[in-house]
Amino acid sequence: VAQVFLNDFLNVEKELDPKESANVLTIWGVGIAASVILAGYWFDRIYKTNKTRLPIFAGVTTLIAPWLVLYIVQSQPLSATVYAVILVPAGFLAGFAGIIVKTLLMNVTIPETRGSAFAIQSLVDELGKGFGPYVVSRVIVAAGSRTNGITISILMWIPCGLIMLLIARYLEADVQKTEEEIKKYYAARQLENGTIENIENQPSL
């Protein structure tokens, strides 16, 4: 929504110059980039301390971020500076969930299926980027205005945040089960290798 519709929305509905609206979207991207940079340092420590804090953190930030964007969508036209000041923390908060999803996915999949899991995740992500704008455009038409359509689309972040909070309930059990599966796999491999070595070491007749 932000990348495809917000630039033109600020230009037309909020009466910003094209250059100003583009700069505001750049500031939004800076906020997201800052969260991505800090995520690697923060999340490693958080995960080691308490695994369930990660999905809770993702859920809370995902629930907070849309209200800042909604304020811009629903407010009367403001200056580009005000929009930029609001969108920096909004982008910062919005950037965490995607990184956390990848971190959690890494820790709840066994090595044999991890590649497939990330491939599916990437496929769904790309489908969202491609198919999402079409869905939002249909919502805008059905809602009767871009303001209403974008508002409805941004509110879809709320169920996303609630799902992230729900993940916290099952994360510990899923991680534990994954670790047990990995231990069983490597134990079987070691047993297999040991059997092969014993056969190879048998004296020839």
Side-chain angles (χ1 to χ4, degrees):
V1 174
Q3 294 177 348
V4 178
F5 294 98
L6 197 54
N7 189 4
D8 185 63
F9 180 81
L10 292 174
N11 179 217
V12 177
E13 303 291 336
K14 302 303 180 182
E15 303 174 0
L16 293 184
D17 292 334
K19 183 178 180 180
E20 289 179 327
S21 60
N23 289 338
V24 169
L25 264 293
T26 300
I27 294 297
W28 161 272
V30 169
I32 295 176
S35 66
V36 172
I37 292 171
L38 293 174
Y41 175 76
W42 283 352
F43 294 167
D44 182 61
R45 296 192 172 203
I46 294 174
Y47 188 83
K48 289 180 179 178
T49 304
N50 189 333
K51 296 178 179 62
T52 58
R53 288 181 182 176
L54 275 186
I56 292 174
F57 186 79
V60 171
T61 54
T62 303
L63 289 172
I64 294 174
W67 301 106
L68 299 174
V69 182
L70 282 175
Y71 176 77
I72 290 176
V73 173
Q74 293 291 332
S75 67
Q76 297 298 319
L78 302 170
S79 68
T81 301
V82 174
Y83 289 136
V85 169
I86 295 172
L87 283 177
V88 167
F92 184 74
L93 293 172
F96 285 117
I99 306 299
I100 290 176
V101 166
K102 292 180 176 65
T103 302
L104 298 180
L105 189 60
M106 175 70 72
N107 288 279
V108 296
T109 52
I110 59 176
E112 292 74 21
T113 61
R114 191 168 292 155
S116 299
F118 273 96
I120 294 172
Q121 188 271 332
S122 297
L123 176 62
V124 173
D125 192 30
E126 293 303 318
L127 284 174
K129 292 177 183 178
F131 192 61
Y134 170 76
V135 174
V136 174
S137 66
R138 302 310 302 169
V139 172
I140 290 173
V141 172
S145 70
R146 282 197 290 187
T147 298
N148 293 336
I150 292 176
T151 297
I152 294 170
S153 301
I154 292 173
L155 286 174
M156 293 300 101
W157 289 8
I158 293 177
C160 293
L162 295 175
I163 290 172
M164 292 301 298
L165 292 176
L166 185 62
I167 289 173
R169 180 178 179 182
Y170 303 99
L171 180 62
E172 287 280 2
D174 288 347
V175 171
Q176 184 177 357
K177 183 177 180 180
T178 302
E179 291 175 349
E180 290 173 356
E181 290 293 329
I182 292 174
K183 289 177 182 178
K184 289 179 182 178
Y185 171 79
Y186 283 108
R189 287 290 299 272
Q190 289 176 356
L191 179 61
E192 181 182 347
N193 292 337
T195 303
I196 293 173
E197 290 176 0
N198 289 335
I199 293 173
E200 291 176 346
N201 292 329
Q202 288 293 329
S204 59
L205 298 176

